[in-house]
Amino acid sequence: MLSSMVKEHQAKQGLLKVVTEDNKRAALAATDTVSNVMGDALAERATEVFAAQRKLEKEVKGLQTNTAHFSKQSGQWLDMVKKFNRSLKELGDFQNWAKTVEWDMRNIQSALDYVGKTS
C-alpha cells in the first residue's frame, strides 16, 4: 500500500513536472514573442524619431540661412534709410543756404537801388 502511494505520488509529481515544464516553455515563448514585438515597435518608433530629428535639423539649417539672409538685407535697408536721411538733411541745409543767399542778394539789390536813386 505504501509503495503504491509512493508510486502514485511520483506519477503525479512526474505529470506535474511535465505540465510545469510545458507551462514554462509556453511562458518563455510568449515572453520571447512579446519582447520581439515590443522591440520591433520600439525600433520602428526610434527610426521615426530619428527621421523627424533629421527633418527638423534640415529645417533649422534652412531657417538659419534665411535668417542670415534677412538680417543682411535688413542691414542694407537700414544703410539705405540712413543715406536717404542724410541726403534729406543735406537738401534741407542747401535750401537754407539758398534762402540765405537769396536774402543777401535782395539786401544788396535794395542797397544798390537806394544808392542809384540817391545819386
Side-chain angles (χ1 to χ4, degrees), residues 74-107:
S74 296
Q76 291 171 343
W77 288 347
L78 184 61
D79 289 342
M80 286 175 36
V81 168
K82 285 179 181 178
K83 288 177 185 177
F84 181 71
N85 283 340
R86 192 176 320 117
S87 296
L88 284 177
K89 182 180 176 189
E90 290 172 2
L91 181 63
D93 291 344
F94 177 76
Q95 286 176 336
N96 188 33
W97 175 80
K99 286 179 183 178
T100 303
V101 169
E102 182 182 5
W103 185 78
D104 287 344
M105 296 302 273
R106 286 181 196 265
N107 283 339

mmCIF file of all heavy atoms in Angstrom, residues 74-107:
data_model
loop_
_atom_site.group_PDB
_atom_site.id
_atom_site.type_symbol
_atom_site.label_atom_id
_atom_site.label_comp_id
_atom_site.label_asym_id
_atom_site.label_seq_id
_atom_site.Cartn_x
_atom_site.Cartn_y
_atom_site.Cartn_z
ATOM 1 N N SER A 74 18.183 93.376 -44.144
ATOM 2 C CA SER A 74 17.712 94.430 -43.235
ATOM 3 C C SER A 74 18.818 95.448 -42.989
ATOM 4 O O SER A 74 18.565 96.659 -42.931
ATOM 5 C CB SER A 74 17.255 93.838 -41.907
ATOM 6 O OG SER A 74 16.140 93.002 -42.090
ATOM 7 N N GLY A 75 20.050 94.974 -42.837
ATOM 8 C CA GLY A 75 21.180 95.875 -42.665
ATOM 9 C C GLY A 75 21.363 96.778 -43.874
ATOM 10 O O GLY A 75 21.638 97.979 -43.740
ATOM 11 N N GLN A 76 21.193 96.207 -45.059
ATOM 12 C CA GLN A 76 21.303 97.009 -46.282
ATOM 13 C C GLN A 76 20.196 98.058 -46.337
ATOM 14 O O GLN A 76 20.446 99.207 -46.716
ATOM 15 C CB GLN A 76 21.240 96.105 -47.515
ATOM 16 C CG GLN A 76 22.461 95.222 -47.675
ATOM 17 C CD GLN A 76 22.293 94.184 -48.779
ATOM 18 O OE1 GLN A 76 21.177 93.892 -49.225
ATOM 19 N NE2 GLN A 76 23.403 93.603 -49.218
ATOM 20 N N TRP A 77 18.990 97.653 -45.958
ATOM 21 C CA TRP A 77 17.880 98.611 -45.961
ATOM 22 C C TRP A 77 18.144 99.728 -44.952
ATOM 23 O O TRP A 77 17.857 100.895 -45.218
ATOM 24 C CB TRP A 77 16.569 97.920 -45.640
ATOM 25 C CG TRP A 77 16.036 97.037 -46.722
ATOM 26 C CD1 TRP A 77 16.449 96.976 -48.006
ATOM 27 C CD2 TRP A 77 14.985 96.082 -46.597
ATOM 28 N NE1 TRP A 77 15.736 96.035 -48.700
ATOM 29 C CE2 TRP A 77 14.823 95.474 -47.854
ATOM 30 C CE3 TRP A 77 14.184 95.666 -45.551
ATOM 31 C CZ2 TRP A 77 13.874 94.501 -48.087
ATOM 32 C CZ3 TRP A 77 13.237 94.688 -45.786
ATOM 33 C CH2 TRP A 77 13.091 94.119 -47.039
ATOM 34 N N LEU A 78 18.661 99.363 -43.793
ATOM 35 C CA LEU A 78 18.968 100.360 -42.769
ATOM 36 C C LEU A 78 20.009 101.349 -43.284
ATOM 37 O O LEU A 78 19.861 102.564 -43.083
ATOM 38 C CB LEU A 78 19.455 99.665 -41.503
ATOM 39 C CG LEU A 78 19.741 100.563 -40.300
ATOM 40 C CD1 LEU A 78 18.472 101.300 -39.870
ATOM 41 C CD2 LEU A 78 20.272 99.730 -39.148
ATOM 42 N N ASP A 79 21.030 100.846 -43.965
ATOM 43 C CA ASP A 79 22.041 101.735 -44.546
ATOM 44 C C ASP A 79 21.416 102.666 -45.585
ATOM 45 O O ASP A 79 21.743 103.861 -45.634
ATOM 46 C CB ASP A 79 23.167 100.926 -45.194
ATOM 47 C CG ASP A 79 24.055 100.228 -44.179
ATOM 48 O OD1 ASP A 79 24.030 100.630 -42.995
ATOM 49 O OD2 ASP A 79 24.771 99.283 -44.563
ATOM 50 N N MET A 80 20.510 102.122 -46.396
ATOM 51 C CA MET A 80 19.843 102.953 -47.410
ATOM 52 C C MET A 80 19.015 104.054 -46.744
ATOM 53 O O MET A 80 19.029 105.212 -47.188
ATOM 54 C CB MET A 80 18.950 102.085 -48.311
ATOM 55 C CG MET A 80 19.721 101.251 -49.287
ATOM 56 S SD MET A 80 18.741 100.081 -50.281
ATOM 57 C CE MET A 80 17.238 100.901 -50.594
ATOM 58 N N VAL A 81 18.305 103.724 -45.687
ATOM 59 C CA VAL A 81 17.481 104.712 -44.982
ATOM 60 C C VAL A 81 18.376 105.780 -44.351
ATOM 61 O O VAL A 81 18.052 106.978 -44.406
ATOM 62 C CB VAL A 81 16.585 104.026 -43.919
ATOM 63 C CG1 VAL A 81 15.953 105.035 -42.989
ATOM 64 C CG2 VAL A 81 15.506 103.184 -44.595
ATOM 65 N N LYS A 82 19.509 105.368 -43.783
ATOM 66 C CA LYS A 82 20.435 106.340 -43.199
ATOM 67 C C LYS A 82 20.963 107.287 -44.268
ATOM 68 O O LYS A 82 21.030 108.500 -44.055
ATOM 69 C CB LYS A 82 21.599 105.624 -42.511
ATOM 70 C CG LYS A 82 21.243 104.989 -41.190
ATOM 71 C CD LYS A 82 22.454 104.288 -40.579
ATOM 72 C CE LYS A 82 22.101 103.631 -39.255
ATOM 73 N NZ LYS A 82 23.252 102.918 -38.682
ATOM 74 N N LYS A 83 21.337 106.749 -45.429
ATOM 75 C CA LYS A 83 21.828 107.587 -46.531
ATOM 76 C C LYS A 83 20.730 108.539 -47.004
ATOM 77 O O LYS A 83 20.988 109.709 -47.304
ATOM 78 C CB LYS A 83 22.316 106.717 -47.685
ATOM 79 C CG LYS A 83 23.616 106.006 -47.401
ATOM 80 C CD LYS A 83 24.015 105.095 -48.552
ATOM 81 C CE LYS A 83 25.257 104.303 -48.209
ATOM 82 N NZ LYS A 83 25.616 103.354 -49.274
ATOM 83 N N PHE A 84 19.509 108.021 -47.098
ATOM 84 C CA PHE A 84 18.383 108.855 -47.523
ATOM 85 C C PHE A 84 18.156 109.994 -46.531
ATOM 86 O O PHE A 84 17.973 111.147 -46.932
ATOM 87 C CB PHE A 84 17.125 107.984 -47.651
ATOM 88 C CG PHE A 84 15.912 108.729 -48.103
ATOM 89 C CD1 PHE A 84 15.806 109.194 -49.396
ATOM 90 C CD2 PHE A 84 14.861 108.967 -47.224
ATOM 91 C CE1 PHE A 84 14.683 109.887 -49.822
ATOM 92 C CE2 PHE A 84 13.741 109.651 -47.631
ATOM 93 C CZ PHE A 84 13.645 110.108 -48.938
ATOM 94 N N ASN A 85 18.192 109.683 -45.232
ATOM 95 C CA ASN A 85 18.020 110.720 -44.204
ATOM 96 C C ASN A 85 19.130 111.756 -44.277
ATOM 97 O O ASN A 85 18.885 112.959 -44.144
ATOM 98 C CB ASN A 85 17.984 110.091 -42.809
ATOM 99 C CG ASN A 85 16.658 109.440 -42.500
ATOM 100 O OD1 ASN A 85 15.652 109.742 -43.131
ATOM 101 N ND2 ASN A 85 16.651 108.542 -41.541
ATOM 102 N N ARG A 86 20.356 111.284 -44.509
ATOM 103 C CA ARG A 86 21.486 112.203 -44.633
ATOM 104 C C ARG A 86 21.289 113.109 -45.854
ATOM 105 O O ARG A 86 21.524 114.319 -45.789
ATOM 106 C CB ARG A 86 22.791 111.416 -44.761
ATOM 107 C CG ARG A 86 24.029 112.263 -44.599
ATOM 108 C CD ARG A 86 25.337 111.454 -44.623
ATOM 109 N NE ARG A 86 25.272 110.195 -43.920
ATOM 110 C CZ ARG A 86 25.423 108.992 -44.496
ATOM 111 N NH1 ARG A 86 25.651 108.890 -45.784
ATOM 112 N NH2 ARG A 86 25.356 107.895 -43.773
ATOM 113 N N SER A 87 20.828 112.535 -46.936
ATOM 114 C CA SER A 87 20.582 113.323 -48.151
ATOM 115 C C SER A 87 19.483 114.352 -47.916
ATOM 116 O O SER A 87 19.590 115.499 -48.369
ATOM 117 C CB SER A 87 20.182 112.417 -49.313
ATOM 118 O OG SER A 87 21.236 111.558 -49.652
ATOM 119 N N LEU A 88 18.425 113.959 -47.204
ATOM 120 C CA LEU A 88 17.358 114.909 -46.892
ATOM 121 C C LEU A 88 17.879 116.047 -46.024
ATOM 122 O O LEU A 88 17.523 117.214 -46.224
ATOM 123 C CB LEU A 88 16.197 114.206 -46.172
ATOM 124 C CG LEU A 88 15.286 113.347 -47.034
ATOM 125 C CD1 LEU A 88 14.245 112.655 -46.156
ATOM 126 C CD2 LEU A 88 14.608 114.163 -48.108
ATOM 127 N N LYS A 89 18.741 115.706 -45.092
ATOM 128 C CA LYS A 89 19.313 116.736 -44.220
ATOM 129 C C LYS A 89 20.174 117.692 -45.045
ATOM 130 O O LYS A 89 20.100 118.919 -44.887
ATOM 131 C CB LYS A 89 20.149 116.091 -43.119
ATOM 132 C CG LYS A 89 20.732 117.095 -42.148
ATOM 133 C CD LYS A 89 21.540 116.405 -41.080
ATOM 134 C CE LYS A 89 22.185 117.454 -40.188
ATOM 135 N NZ LYS A 89 23.130 116.879 -39.272
ATOM 136 N N GLU A 90 20.985 117.123 -45.929
ATOM 137 C CA GLU A 90 21.819 117.961 -46.780
ATOM 138 C C GLU A 90 20.968 118.841 -47.684
ATOM 139 O O GLU A 90 21.299 120.008 -47.918
ATOM 140 C CB GLU A 90 22.763 117.095 -47.608
ATOM 141 C CG GLU A 90 23.855 116.443 -46.789
ATOM 142 C CD GLU A 90 24.664 115.426 -47.574
ATOM 143 O OE1 GLU A 90 24.395 115.248 -48.790
ATOM 144 O OE2 GLU A 90 25.566 114.808 -46.988
ATOM 145 N N LEU A 91 19.871 118.280 -48.193
ATOM 146 C CA LEU A 91 18.969 119.060 -49.033
ATOM 147 C C LEU A 91 18.363 120.199 -48.228
ATOM 148 O O LEU A 91 18.283 121.340 -48.709
ATOM 149 C CB LEU A 91 17.858 118.167 -49.610
ATOM 150 C CG LEU A 91 16.854 118.835 -50.528
ATOM 151 C CD1 LEU A 91 17.553 119.373 -51.771
ATOM 152 C CD2 LEU A 91 15.775 117.845 -50.921
ATOM 153 N N GLY A 92 17.984 119.940 -47.009
ATOM 154 C CA GLY A 92 17.447 120.984 -46.136
ATOM 155 C C GLY A 92 18.497 122.048 -45.876
ATOM 156 O O GLY A 92 18.205 123.251 -45.904
ATOM 157 N N ASP A 93 19.747 121.622 -45.643
ATOM 158 C CA ASP A 93 20.834 122.581 -45.439
ATOM 159 C C ASP A 93 21.048 123.421 -46.693
ATOM 160 O O ASP A 93 21.276 124.632 -46.619
ATOM 161 C CB ASP A 93 22.132 121.848 -45.067
ATOM 162 C CG ASP A 93 22.079 121.225 -43.686
ATOM 163 O OD1 ASP A 93 21.185 121.593 -42.897
ATOM 164 O OD2 ASP A 93 22.937 120.362 -43.396
ATOM 165 N N PHE A 94 20.974 122.797 -47.844
ATOM 166 C CA PHE A 94 21.155 123.510 -49.107
ATOM 167 C C PHE A 94 20.040 124.531 -49.308
ATOM 168 O O PHE A 94 20.280 125.672 -49.719
ATOM 169 C CB PHE A 94 21.201 122.526 -50.278
ATOM 170 C CG PHE A 94 21.312 123.199 -51.610
ATOM 171 C CD1 PHE A 94 22.524 123.738 -52.026
ATOM 172 C CD2 PHE A 94 20.205 123.319 -52.441
ATOM 173 C CE1 PHE A 94 22.633 124.372 -53.246
ATOM 174 C CE2 PHE A 94 20.308 123.957 -53.654
ATOM 175 C CZ PHE A 94 21.519 124.486 -54.080
ATOM 176 N N GLN A 95 18.797 124.119 -49.014
ATOM 177 C CA GLN A 95 17.671 125.050 -49.158
ATOM 178 C C GLN A 95 17.849 126.240 -48.215
ATOM 179 O O GLN A 95 17.609 127.388 -48.599
ATOM 180 C CB GLN A 95 16.344 124.342 -48.868
ATOM 181 C CG GLN A 95 15.901 123.422 -49.971
ATOM 182 C CD GLN A 95 14.627 122.671 -49.613
ATOM 183 O OE1 GLN A 95 14.319 122.488 -48.437
ATOM 184 N NE2 GLN A 95 13.899 122.235 -50.631
ATOM 185 N N ASN A 96 18.294 125.994 -47.015
ATOM 186 C CA ASN A 96 18.527 127.074 -46.050
ATOM 187 C C ASN A 96 19.623 128.002 -46.572
ATOM 188 O O ASN A 96 19.501 129.230 -46.499
ATOM 189 C CB ASN A 96 18.906 126.478 -44.697
ATOM 190 C CG ASN A 96 18.976 127.521 -43.608
ATOM 191 O OD1 ASN A 96 18.227 128.489 -43.634
ATOM 192 N ND2 ASN A 96 19.889 127.332 -42.677
ATOM 193 N N TRP A 97 20.688 127.455 -47.102
ATOM 194 C CA TRP A 97 21.783 128.251 -47.659
ATOM 195 C C TRP A 97 21.283 129.085 -48.822
ATOM 196 O O TRP A 97 21.589 130.265 -48.933
ATOM 197 C CB TRP A 97 22.913 127.319 -48.101
ATOM 198 C CG TRP A 97 24.036 128.025 -48.807
ATOM 199 C CD1 TRP A 97 25.050 128.716 -48.253
ATOM 200 C CD2 TRP A 97 24.211 128.111 -50.220
ATOM 201 N NE1 TRP A 97 25.875 129.221 -49.207
ATOM 202 C CE2 TRP A 97 25.372 128.872 -50.446
ATOM 203 C CE3 TRP A 97 23.500 127.623 -51.317
ATOM 204 C CZ2 TRP A 97 25.842 129.150 -51.721
ATOM 205 C CZ3 TRP A 97 23.977 127.901 -52.585
ATOM 206 C CH2 TRP A 97 25.129 128.660 -52.779
ATOM 207 N N ALA A 98 20.467 128.429 -49.700
ATOM 208 C CA ALA A 98 19.941 129.149 -50.865
ATOM 209 C C ALA A 98 19.045 130.304 -50.425
ATOM 210 O O ALA A 98 19.103 131.409 -51.001
ATOM 211 C CB ALA A 98 19.177 128.195 -51.771
ATOM 212 N N LYS A 99 18.227 130.114 -49.422
ATOM 213 C CA LYS A 99 17.367 131.195 -48.921
ATOM 214 C C LYS A 99 18.208 132.326 -48.333
ATOM 215 O O LYS A 99 17.904 133.508 -48.520
ATOM 216 C CB LYS A 99 16.392 130.660 -47.869
ATOM 217 C CG LYS A 99 15.273 129.840 -48.449
ATOM 218 C CD LYS A 99 14.346 129.327 -47.354
ATOM 219 C CE LYS A 99 13.256 128.450 -47.946
ATOM 220 N NZ LYS A 99 12.368 127.911 -46.919
ATOM 221 N N THR A 100 19.268 131.952 -47.622
ATOM 222 C CA THR A 100 20.155 132.964 -47.040
ATOM 223 C C THR A 100 20.834 133.767 -48.141
ATOM 224 O O THR A 100 20.903 135.008 -48.075
ATOM 225 C CB THR A 100 21.211 132.292 -46.136
ATOM 226 O OG1 THR A 100 20.551 131.534 -45.139
ATOM 227 C CG2 THR A 100 22.114 133.314 -45.486
ATOM 228 N N VAL A 101 21.322 133.107 -49.169
ATOM 229 C CA VAL A 101 21.962 133.802 -50.292
ATOM 230 C C VAL A 101 20.954 134.699 -50.988
ATOM 231 O O VAL A 101 21.251 135.858 -51.333
ATOM 232 C CB VAL A 101 22.596 132.784 -51.273
ATOM 233 C CG1 VAL A 101 23.020 133.463 -52.560
ATOM 234 C CG2 VAL A 101 23.770 132.083 -50.620
ATOM 235 N N GLU A 102 19.729 134.172 -51.197
ATOM 236 C CA GLU A 102 18.689 134.981 -51.852
ATOM 237 C C GLU A 102 18.384 136.221 -51.016
ATOM 238 O O GLU A 102 18.262 137.335 -51.547
ATOM 239 C CB GLU A 102 17.421 134.136 -52.031
ATOM 240 C CG GLU A 102 16.304 134.862 -52.734
ATOM 241 C CD GLU A 102 15.037 134.017 -52.860
ATOM 242 O OE1 GLU A 102 15.007 132.894 -52.321
ATOM 243 O OE2 GLU A 102 14.085 134.507 -53.498
ATOM 244 N N TRP A 103 18.277 136.077 -49.707
ATOM 245 C CA TRP A 103 18.002 137.221 -48.828
ATOM 246 C C TRP A 103 19.132 138.242 -48.913
ATOM 247 O O TRP A 103 18.908 139.450 -49.023
ATOM 248 C CB TRP A 103 17.805 136.712 -47.399
ATOM 249 C CG TRP A 103 17.394 137.778 -46.433
ATOM 250 C CD1 TRP A 103 16.167 138.320 -46.276
ATOM 251 C CD2 TRP A 103 18.256 138.441 -45.511
ATOM 252 N NE1 TRP A 103 16.176 139.279 -45.303
ATOM 253 C CE2 TRP A 103 17.464 139.374 -44.815
ATOM 254 C CE3 TRP A 103 19.606 138.341 -45.202
ATOM 255 C CZ2 TRP A 103 17.985 140.208 -43.829
ATOM 256 C CZ3 TRP A 103 20.114 139.155 -44.220
ATOM 257 C CH2 TRP A 103 19.309 140.090 -43.536
ATOM 258 N N ASP A 104 20.395 137.720 -48.892
ATOM 259 C CA ASP A 104 21.549 138.621 -49.013
ATOM 260 C C ASP A 104 21.528 139.347 -50.356
ATOM 261 O O ASP A 104 21.817 140.562 -50.432
ATOM 262 C CB ASP A 104 22.863 137.839 -48.866
ATOM 263 C CG ASP A 104 23.138 137.390 -47.441
ATOM 264 O OD1 ASP A 104 22.493 137.923 -46.513
ATOM 265 O OD2 ASP A 104 24.008 136.495 -47.261
ATOM 266 N N MET A 105 21.205 138.661 -51.411
ATOM 267 C CA MET A 105 21.161 139.282 -52.748
ATOM 268 C C MET A 105 20.075 140.351 -52.814
ATOM 269 O O MET A 105 20.266 141.423 -53.411
ATOM 270 C CB MET A 105 20.930 138.227 -53.832
ATOM 271 C CG MET A 105 22.080 137.219 -53.930
ATOM 272 S SD MET A 105 23.650 137.997 -54.246
ATOM 273 C CE MET A 105 23.630 138.066 -55.992
ATOM 274 N N ARG A 106 18.935 140.098 -52.189
ATOM 275 C CA ARG A 106 17.862 141.097 -52.172
ATOM 276 C C ARG A 106 18.313 142.340 -51.385
ATOM 277 O O ARG A 106 18.015 143.475 -51.775
ATOM 278 C CB ARG A 106 16.590 140.521 -51.559
ATOM 279 C CG ARG A 106 15.883 139.550 -52.467
ATOM 280 C CD ARG A 106 14.604 139.040 -51.793
ATOM 281 N NE ARG A 106 14.113 137.867 -52.449
ATOM 282 C CZ ARG A 106 13.184 137.878 -53.402
ATOM 283 N NH1 ARG A 106 12.652 139.010 -53.793
ATOM 284 N NH2 ARG A 106 12.784 136.764 -53.939
ATOM 285 N N ASN A 107 18.999 142.110 -50.274
ATOM 286 C CA ASN A 107 19.511 143.236 -49.484
ATOM 287 C C ASN A 107 20.509 144.052 -50.298
ATOM 288 O O ASN A 107 20.484 145.296 -50.285
ATOM 289 C CB ASN A 107 20.162 142.765 -48.186
ATOM 290 C CG ASN A 107 19.128 142.388 -47.145
ATOM 291 O OD1 ASN A 107 17.969 142.823 -47.221
ATOM 292 N ND2 ASN A 107 19.539 141.609 -46.165
#
